[in-house]
Amino acid sequence: MADNSRAKEIQTSPGPAASSVNKKAHDKPDAQTPLIVFFYYFLGLNLIAAIYSPILDCDETYNYWEPTHFLRHGFGLQTWEYSPEYAIRSWLYIALHAMASTISVVLPFMTKVKEFYLLRILLAFACAGCETRLFSAICTTFNRRVGIIFLMAMVSSPGMFHASVAYLPSSFAMYAVMLGMAAFMDWRGGLKTAQGMMWFGIGGIVGWPFACALAIPFLLEEVVLASVSRVSMEQAWWRAVDGTVRCLMVLALSVGVDLFFYHRLTVVPVNIVLYNVFSGASRGPDIFGTEPWDFYLRNLLLNFNLWFILALASLPITLLRFFVFPSSPSPGSPQAASAQTRLRSLVFLSPFYLWLVVFSLQAHKEERFMYPAYPALALNAAIALHLLLSAFGSTSRARLVGYIPAKIKLAIVGVFAGIVLAAGVLRTAGIVTAYAAPIRVLGALPPASSGDESNGGGYVCYGKEWYRFPTSFFLPDAYRAKFIASAFTGLLPGEFSEAEVGFGIWPTWLPPSGMNDRNEEDVGKYVDLAHCDFLVDSLFPNHLDPESSSPLEPPYTLDAKTWETVSCGRLLDGARTTSVVPRSIWVPDAAAGWVPERYRRHWGEFCLLRRRR
């Protein structure tokens, strides 16, 4: 009875969007549109991303694609995080994706490259399903227009273009966050607290433990409403117990899988928190680089443009709507927002602000750390824009906006839509065209049967471009990725043991040599250049300057006596492309004649070289 009463209460006390305009009026145009249509909208963009999005983070390669390749094909590169001594990466996350990719064994004409894209396509479907579920919950809780704006923010943002199919725990956590938010928001049929806790728990345990922080506002809402409403604290307590038990079951599965792979009892989510928060000055994330406090403000502005500005303004706009410009009575709309409506509004807006503040305070910052909060950002932006449109669309002569002709209002809205769409396309095209070469050049490797079989197969070596290696999925089985010495002095990945006798199915529990958690160089990770059959290298003008280049990084592409060029692709030259505009968005090369020099994109070469015999 208590759950039903709260479900009814939310129907008569809508959120900030629904309380500002006639909800039915906005639902009618799309009321008959099947939900599957919106799923296709999300899926369409995600599939494009699956095919064209470059790998922008070497952690995605070395910490996730490489272990998956090891499980599927028996070899791969291993980072220190997978050493049983440290165990801060969950094998459950890897195993789930490796099992999903086994679909490839029943498909005809399958190669490892196609397997890579197949897994990406599966991620695109998973993300689209989660997006559609949250979209549905938003339409139910607010109205269809808020949902449509949310959809527009998600599909037009370069940030979601990359996050949707990235093989990263933060992307997985983002999927789970969407399902968790939808469960907490949707009160149809009663409260779904346990379900929401379960989804946030899955995102935190299987994906990234810090994502659980996004559930805090929803859990606080549960506590507040349970203490002041007709719902008893006892019922809230049992819902919390139910959710906790579900999370513990997921944790038990994670511990069991990691016990199998590490051969030791370990709780990976706890290890991750301990390393990142309590490891001390000589360890922890800060040794991998730090950024200023405004890093995420600049990054989100690039990846979400005007949507990010709306998201930042959503709380002030909502407060103004509630307390300064309350809605006037109109047919079918409430006269004022109830206390519960205001509470729910703050709950829905809080996760994005919470995440942005907490992670901006951390010294070590990376773009992928924002992925779990992307749906919350889009929701905040949708609420803000909906409220602005509601006020802007007023025809009341009591306000100045009522004197603006409808055509001018429509033109202004059209300009906004054009700006966000153009900014999103230009940013996405800029990234895709600037960094496609690392994957493209490996397609020129000769078939495995014609590779050099010495030393167990041909060696494809990386020096200064070690962080651009896409994954062993792009190497034929007769080839292995190797590293040669460069100016980089941190710790590079080693290799998973390929022992087959006496060590089980996958000898992932064998301690690798030369690993440490202090990013200290291990020279044992390098091979001599003479052993390299192929070499991946780049050539930029600054590489020819002895003062700005390292003797460990000579321009191999110019050594025609030793190396012949197999394939080259263009790579954005960040040293010469100094202006924010060409570094951030696509600037067509055809426009070089009329675009000022400082706004042009400059290029270098990224090449696959073969040793001359």
Side-chain angles (χ1 to χ4, degrees):
M1 289 296 292
D3 286 359
N4 290 337
S5 67
R6 281 186 63 183
K8 292 178 181 178
E9 189 173 357
I10 190 58
Q11 293 171 4
T12 57
S13 300
S19 64
S20 61
V21 290
N22 188 335
K23 181 175 179 179
K24 293 182 179 180
H26 287 291
D27 280 349
K28 281 184 179 180
D30 298 305
Q32 302 303 318
T33 306
L35 195 60
I36 189 67
V37 172
F38 299 101
F39 170 78
Y40 291 146
Y41 289 149
F42 289 116
L43 179 62
L45 179 79
N46 294 349
L47 288 177
I48 295 174
I51 302 302
Y52 294 105
S53 179
I55 296 178
L56 300 178
D57 192 328
C58 62
D59 268 3
E60 181 177 356
T61 292
Y62 294 123
N63 276 322
Y64 307 104
W65 283 111
E66 284 301 288
T68 304
H69 186 275
F70 173 70
L71 295 187
R72 294 284 294 115
H73 300 281
F75 69 92
L77 299 173
Q78 180 183 18
T79 63
W80 67 270
E81 290 96 329
Y82 285 93
S83 171
E85 181 181 355
Y86 306 109
I88 64 169
R89 292 290 180 262
S90 173
W91 278 103
L92 175 59
Y93 177 68
I94 301 299
L96 290 173
H97 291 77
M99 287 189 294
S101 67
T102 57
I103 298 175
S104 62
V105 302
V106 299
L107 298 177
F109 313 111
M110 187 56 60
T111 64
K112 290 202 300 182
V113 173
K114 292 177 182 178
E115 184 180 344
F116 170 88
Y117 286 108
L118 172 64
L119 184 52
R120 270 196 166 187
I121 289 171
L122 294 176
L123 292 175
F125 271 88
C127 184
C130 297
E131 290 172 306
T132 306
R133 174 67 184 101
L134 182 54
F135 166 81
S136 175
I138 291 171
C139 292
T140 301
T141 305
F142 296 94
N143 60 42
R144 185 60 64 94
R145 187 167 77 177
V146 178
I148 295 297
I149 298 173
F150 169 80
L151 182 149
M152 292 173 57
M154 294 287 277
V155 302
S156 66
S157 65
M160 278 303 301
F161 181 84
H162 300 294
S164 60
V165 296
Y167 185 10
L168 290 166
S170 50
S171 283
F172 180 87
M174 180 185 70
Y175 302 167
V177 164
M178 285 190 277
L179 297 177
M181 289 176 62
F184 277 113
M185 290 173 62
D186 188 359
W187 282 0
R188 292 176 300 178
L191 275 72
K192 301 178 179 64
T193 305
Q195 183 184 125
M197 291 177 63
M198 178 191 70
W199 285 120
F200 277 104
I202 290 175
I205 296 168
V206 183
W208 199 34
F210 301 104
C212 293
L214 289 166
I216 292 176
F218 298 103
L219 295 175
L220 289 178
E221 178 197 29
E222 176 80 12
V223 173
V224 171
L225 292 181
S227 61
V228 302
S229 71
R230 289 169 291 179
V231 180
S232 69
M233 183 64 75
E234 181 181 356
Q235 291 173 317
W237 168 258
W238 283 114
R239 285 194 297 272
V241 170
D242 184 6
T244 301
V245 170
R246 299 185 191 193
C247 292
L248 289 175
M249 293 173 64
V250 177
L251 181 61
L253 175 63
S254 174
V255 171
V257 171
D258 288 328
L259 176 63
F260 173 81
F261 283 99
Y262 286 124
H263 278 209
R264 64 175 61 184
L265 190 64
T266 185
V267 183
V268 169
V270 174
N271 295 346
I272 293 174
V273 173
L274 291 176
Y275 178 78
N276 284 278
V277 180
F278 303 105
S279 54
S282 63
R283 294 175 172 82
D286 292 358
I287 65 175
F288 298 100
T290 60
E291 299 289 345
W293 69 270
D294 63 342
F295 173 84
Y296 289 127
L297 299 181
R298 292 181 280 111
N299 182 267
L300 291 174
L301 186 60
L302 279 175
N303 286 327
F304 282 87
N305 49 76
L306 295 181
W307 297 118
F308 173 57
I309 296 174
L310 284 169
L312 283 180
S314 58
L315 180 58
I317 290 173
T318 301
L319 294 177
L320 285 173
R321 161 65 183 80
F322 282 155
F323 300 108
V324 181
F325 301 110
S327 60
S328 301
S330 60
S333 64
Q335 290 190 359
S338 69
Q340 180 171 296
T341 297
R342 293 173 181 174
L343 173 63
R344 296 220 82 196
S345 301
L346 294 177
V347 168
F348 296 151
L349 297 175
S350 296
F352 169 66
Y353 288 106
L354 173 66
W355 193 264
L356 180 62
V357 170
V358 169
F359 278 86
S360 293
L361 294 175
Q362 310 306 310
H364 179 65
K365 300 178 178 69
E366 297 186 38
E367 179 178 318
R368 60 193 168 99
F369 293 171
M370 283 290 110
Y371 287 3
Y374 279 0
L377 184 157
L379 175 60
N380 283 33
I383 292 173
L385 183 57
H386 172 74
L387 293 177
L388 291 176
L389 290 176
S390 299
F392 190 61
S394 173
T395 58
S396 173
R397 297 289 175 163
R399 297 177 181 177
L400 181 61
V401 71
Y403 291 91
I404 302 177
K407 291 184 178 180
I408 295 180
K409 293 181 179 180
L410 181 62
I412 293 175
V413 174
V415 169
F416 170 84
I419 290 175
V420 297
L421 180 61
V425 170
L426 289 174
R427 169 67 174 167
T428 301
I431 294 296
V432 170
T433 55
Y435 303 109
I439 286 180
R440 188 174 300 161
V441 299
L442 291 185
L445 280 170
S449 58
S450 61
D452 183 1
E453 294 292 330
S454 64
N455 298 317
Y459 285 174
V460 180
C461 295
Y462 283 76
K464 62 177 175 288
E465 296 296 340
W466 64 270
Y467 59 95
R468 299 194 195 275
F469 173 57
T471 162
S472 296
F473 279 96
F474 290 93
L475 299 180
D477 283 337
Y479 297 90
R480 297 290 190 274
K482 298 290 182 179
F483 300 110
I484 58 174
S486 68
F488 177 72
T489 57
L491 180 66
L492 289 172
E495 298 179 5
F496 284 105
S497 172
E498 298 178 30
E500 296 180 353
V501 180
F503 297 101
I505 304 176
W506 296 293
T508 51
W509 55 274
L510 294 176
S513 61
M515 294 297 186
N516 64 80
D517 62 350
R518 300 175 300 279
N519 199 27
E520 296 175 352
E521 183 179 25
D522 172 33
V523 296
K525 301 293 190 296
Y526 305 132
V527 298
D528 190 279
L529 181 62
H531 295 158
C532 297
D533 303 288
F534 293 85
L535 177 65
V536 176
D537 196 38
S538 61
L539 180 64
F540 297 101
N542 66 305
H543 293 165
L544 305 178
D545 182 3
E547 295 184 359
S548 62
S549 60
S550 167
L552 293 174
E553 299 175 351
Y556 295 107
T557 55
L558 301 181
D559 183 7
K561 292 183 179 180
T562 307
W563 304 99
E564 62 176 319
T565 300
V566 178
S567 176
C568 284
R570 298 195 312 170
L571 193 69
L572 187 69
D573 186 348
R576 289 191 297 154
T577 308
T578 57
S579 175
V580 173
V581 174
R583 289 174 67 95
S584 304
I585 65 173
W586 176 68
V587 178
D589 295 332
W594 53 271
V595 173
E597 177 70 20
R598 66 188 302 261
Y599 295 117
R600 297 176 190 171
R601 306 174 93 191
H602 298 277
W603 302 93
E605 285 191 325
F606 190 87
C607 298
L608 173 67
L609 311 175
R610 174 165 45 198
R611 180 178 295 278
R612 294 184 183 274
R613 299 298 184 187

